[in-house]
Amino acid sequence: MTGRFLPADGRGFHGNGNIPGTKFLCLVCTGMYLISCFVPEAETKFLFYVPFTFTEPYRLLTAAFLHAGIYHFLFNMLSLLALGRDLEPVLRTRRFLTVYLLSAVGGNLFVFLLAGITTPENTAVVGASGAIFGLFGALLAMHKSVGNPTSGLLALLVINVALAFLSPGISWEAHLGGFLTGYFLLLLWLPLIKRRMRRR
């Protein structure tokens, strides 16, 4: 249910169903996708490129708003809408955007840290997948905190991880870095969120 996380005893998190942050992110990604279709140089300027990590660090974030083709774009936007519908009403917009943006950066930082080990040192990355996996991580932490079943979410996560390993060109490093960032951010915030809910 949208914006509602309930354990067996009936206590839980309740949201109001509004998702302005999710819609904003979708609009930005859509705008960047259209721009890159007509101005291909934009993708080159804003993708994450490991050798430029220190000289152009903004790429750690901007790459999360670019996509390599229509199917990549559509899959990530559908995932963002589905996860945002559940998470944003509970986290509220500011924290939701923070999870998304820091998970995007965390995912690309993992690519940087593992470059030369699991990937070439001149690796380039685009896509919101690191940020999306950060939302997965936050949602998993939220469900676990109230005792909700997580088997369905874990199964979906396993499928996505398997696809990342089996499909060439998909960065599992970005997925892992994003997931860990979102998961641990949510754990840090849980006491504050629970306190806010008890005051309602």
Side-chain angles (χ1 to χ4, degrees):
M1 286 180 284
T2 301
R4 185 177 177 90
F5 297 82
L6 291 174
D9 62 4
R11 297 190 303 274
F13 303 122
H14 306 265
N16 57 18
N18 293 327
I19 55 170
T22 303
K23 293 175 181 177
F24 171 75
L25 291 171
C26 285
L27 283 174
V28 174
C29 287
T30 300
M32 289 302 297
Y33 176 74
L34 293 174
I35 289 172
S36 65
C37 286
F38 293 101
V39 187
E41 296 80 6
E43 183 170 305
T44 304
K45 179 65 177 174
F46 295 111
L47 58 75
F48 175 61
Y49 184 51
V50 169
F52 292 173
T53 302
F54 293 110
T55 57
E56 297 180 6
Y58 64 86
R59 292 172 179 265
L60 288 163
L61 180 60
T62 56
F65 297 98
L66 299 170
H67 290 88
I70 185 65
Y71 295 112
H72 187 208
F73 166 73
L74 290 176
F75 181 81
N76 276 344
M77 291 307 95
L78 289 173
S79 299
L80 174 56
L81 286 170
L83 292 164
R85 183 186 61 190
D86 280 343
L87 270 176
E88 186 177 355
V90 178
L91 294 182
R92 294 186 175 177
T93 300
R94 183 178 63 182
R95 285 198 181 101
F96 175 79
L97 290 174
T98 301
V99 170
Y100 184 93
L101 297 175
L102 289 184
S103 295
V105 172
N108 286 327
L109 279 176
F110 256 62
V111 175
F112 166 72
L113 292 173
L114 294 175
I117 302 173
T118 62
T119 58
E121 293 184 353
N122 62 343
T123 296
V125 177
V126 296
S129 299
I132 297 296
F133 267 74
L135 300 181
F136 262 120
L139 187 61
L140 180 63
M142 183 76 78
H143 276 297
K144 287 173 68 68
S145 75
V146 295
N148 279 349
T150 58
S151 56
L153 187 59
L154 285 172
L156 185 60
L157 189 61
V158 168
I159 291 171
N160 277 274
V161 170
L163 288 173
F165 277 100
L166 295 175
S167 302
I170 294 181
S171 175
W172 64 265
E173 297 88 350
H175 292 184
L176 177 60
F179 177 85
L180 293 175
T181 302
Y183 187 87
F184 286 110
L185 267 178
L186 203 287
L187 290 184
L188 287 174
W189 287 335
L190 269 174
L192 297 175
I193 297 171
K194 289 180 177 180
R195 193 177 306 126
R196 187 190 81 211
M197 295 300 176
R198 284 196 296 268
R199 288 200 299 264
R200 289 188 174 184

